[in-house]
Amino acid sequence: MTITGCLNKRLGLALSIFATLGILLGCSEKQSQGAGNMPVAIAKAHTYQKDRLALQLPQGWQVFEDFYPVDGRRRLNVVTPIGSSMTLDIFSAEQAPTLGEHFANYMAAILPPETESSSRIDSGDVSYGAVKGMFANVILDEPYDIAMFVEILPLRNGDKQAYFIFNTPPPQKGDISRYIEDIIDTAQLP
């Protein structure tokens, strides 16, 4: 794979990471209920529904991929109007990695080995209500000059294990974080 191809692949993954962290870190209290039973934060939401998966997404968030990269796994990629992204990885419970394994695999996939000496990463645990996840604040120096905030949050439902991954540029994490808990709370896994 060329360097450009590798960077494009990793940038897409990095964008997903930014959205995840921004939502998780910025939303510590549940929003009040708005129209119908929809939380106020996503009262102007639209429903994405396909193959028994249903998600309430804020206005302007768009699903650009919904696919099955390997047996027993499904991936949904979403972009926001402010340059953040959300990835939803859904596994059968018996094939799912742990939160720590998925976090490590995701970070390894988005950070090329050649960036190791020029990257600074702070990571730890994050909570949104009862949901406990992990975050990473990533800064890549020259020549990449990229900063991202990544949050990965689990959701278990019956025989499915899902991980929401939000990737957000640090200046926009507050704009995304108010939606995280509500997106997870309204998700209906297949």
Side-chain angles (χ1 to χ4, degrees):
M1 178 181 301
T2 67
I3 292 176
T4 302
C6 183
L7 289 176
N8 286 339
K9 178 182 172 186
R10 293 182 193 284
L11 182 58
L13 190 54
L15 289 175
S16 296
I17 291 175
F18 278 126
T20 303
L21 288 178
I23 291 173
L24 290 177
L25 292 179
C27 185
S28 60
E29 293 185 23
K30 188 82 173 134
Q31 299 288 329
S32 61
Q33 298 295 308
N37 276 335
M38 194 176 301
V40 170
I42 56 175
K44 292 185 179 182
H46 61 95
T47 301
Y48 176 79
Q49 195 164 359
K50 184 178 176 185
D51 297 335
R52 300 181 316 145
L53 170 66
L55 287 174
Q56 294 290 321
L57 297 172
Q59 187 174 19
W61 290 38
Q62 296 184 348
V63 174
F64 70 91
E65 285 183 311
D66 185 349
F67 65 105
Y68 298 83
V70 272
D71 291 339
R73 178 174 157 200
R74 181 177 181 181
R75 174 169 274 182
L76 184 79
N77 288 311
V78 179
V79 293
T80 74
I82 62 168
S84 298
S85 66
M86 179 187 87
T87 298
L88 175 60
D89 284 329
I90 304 171
F91 300 87
S92 62
E94 64 273 357
Q95 295 178 338
T98 65
L99 173 63
E101 290 168 342
H102 198 54
F103 181 81
N105 292 339
Y106 187 77
M107 295 304 294
I110 65 165
L111 297 172
E114 63 271 12
T115 65
E116 197 170 307
S117 65
S118 65
S119 62
R120 296 183 308 260
I121 302 172
D122 295 317
S123 62
D125 298 330
V126 66
S127 297
Y128 286 92
V131 180
K132 312 259 185 258
M134 298 180 77
F135 80 91
N137 186 24
V138 179
I139 298 172
L140 297 178
D141 294 327
E142 301 267 343
Y144 305 100
D145 200 26
I146 296 173
M148 67 182 111
F149 196 74
V150 178
E151 291 178 293
I152 300 183
L153 298 165
L155 174 64
R156 178 76 183 256
N157 187 351
D159 65 345
K160 299 294 181 187
Q161 174 66 56
Y163 294 103
F164 289 84
I165 305 168
F166 298 92
N167 295 312
T168 308
Q172 281 78 36
K173 75 176 184 169
D175 296 334
I176 297 299
S177 63
R178 63 187 176 143
Y179 299 119
I180 291 177
E181 189 173 356
D182 294 332
I183 290 170
I184 294 171
D185 285 350
T186 60
Q188 296 174 10
L189 301 179

